[in-house]
């Protein structure tokens, strides 16, 4: 596919209300959630110099890194969500069900990442 075909595919996908609103909702949740996560974590990281990056009930705290690494988690979330939405847009003309499944997967992935970020905020706070 060339650029014009990709552009047309995304225009068709964007005209669908499900694709448009699910994409907007998912990206908005990812951006707002990442902002709130960073709002809480950056001051704590600057204060202590280290942050807990992984915690489980069975093993406890098992990954402590320098605080500036905290930007990797929201960046990975946003990149993954954008890639997922682009793939869903590319699938839209071929298979609308697969496109909607990809959008729902992006929304669920965002919810799970934000829940994990919430628990990291609690552990570090």
């Amino acid at each position: 596919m060339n650029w014009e075909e990709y552009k047309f595919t995304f225009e068709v996908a964007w005209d669908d209300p499900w694709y448009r609103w699910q994409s907007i909702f998912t990206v908005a949740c990812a951006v707002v959630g990442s902002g709130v996560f960073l709002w809480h974590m950056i001051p704590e990281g600057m204060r202590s110099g280290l942050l807990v990056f992984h915690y489980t009930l069975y093993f406890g705290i098992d990954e402590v890194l320098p605080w500036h690494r905290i930007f990797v988690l929201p960046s990975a979330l946003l990149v993954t969500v954008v890639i997922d939405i682009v793939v869903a847009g590319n699938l839209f003309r071929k298979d609308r069900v697969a496109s909607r499944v990809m959008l729902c997967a992006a929304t669920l992935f965002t919810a799970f990442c934000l829940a994990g970020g919430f628990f990291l905020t609690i552990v570090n706070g």
Side-chain angles (χ1 to χ4, degrees):
M1 286 177 54
N2 61 20
W3 173 250
E4 293 299 321
E5 290 175 4
Y6 279 119
K7 187 175 167 185
F8 178 70
T9 299
F10 287 112
E11 287 174 0
V12 170
W14 195 253
D15 285 340
D16 181 51
W18 176 276
Y19 180 86
R20 182 176 50 245
W21 292 111
Q22 184 84 17
S23 299
I24 290 170
F25 174 75
T26 303
V27 171
C29 286
V31 169
V32 169
S34 295
V36 169
F37 175 72
L38 290 174
W39 181 269
H40 289 288
M41 295 294 277
I42 290 174
E44 184 64 33
M46 292 179 73
R47 193 175 8 253
S48 67
L50 296 172
L51 288 173
V52 174
F53 278 77
H54 192 258
Y55 172 81
T56 61
L57 289 173
Y58 303 110
F59 303 116
I61 296 171
D62 60 351
E63 187 172 14
V64 178
L65 297 171
W67 76 272
H68 63 275
R69 291 278 212 53
I70 201 65
F71 296 106
V72 172
L73 298 174
S75 301
L77 170 64
L78 294 174
V79 167
T80 304
V81 166
V82 167
I83 288 172
D84 203 358
I85 289 172
V86 168
V87 169
N90 192 25
L91 283 174
F92 189 81
R93 278 181 39 198
K94 298 172 194 155
D95 189 359
R96 289 184 188 211
V97 173
S99 174
R100 290 181 178 179
V101 167
M102 291 293 292
L103 284 174
C104 290
T107 304
L108 283 174
F109 180 72
T110 301
F112 289 143
C113 286
L114 294 180
F118 171 74
F119 290 119
L120 283 179
T121 303
I122 289 173
V123 168
N124 284 297

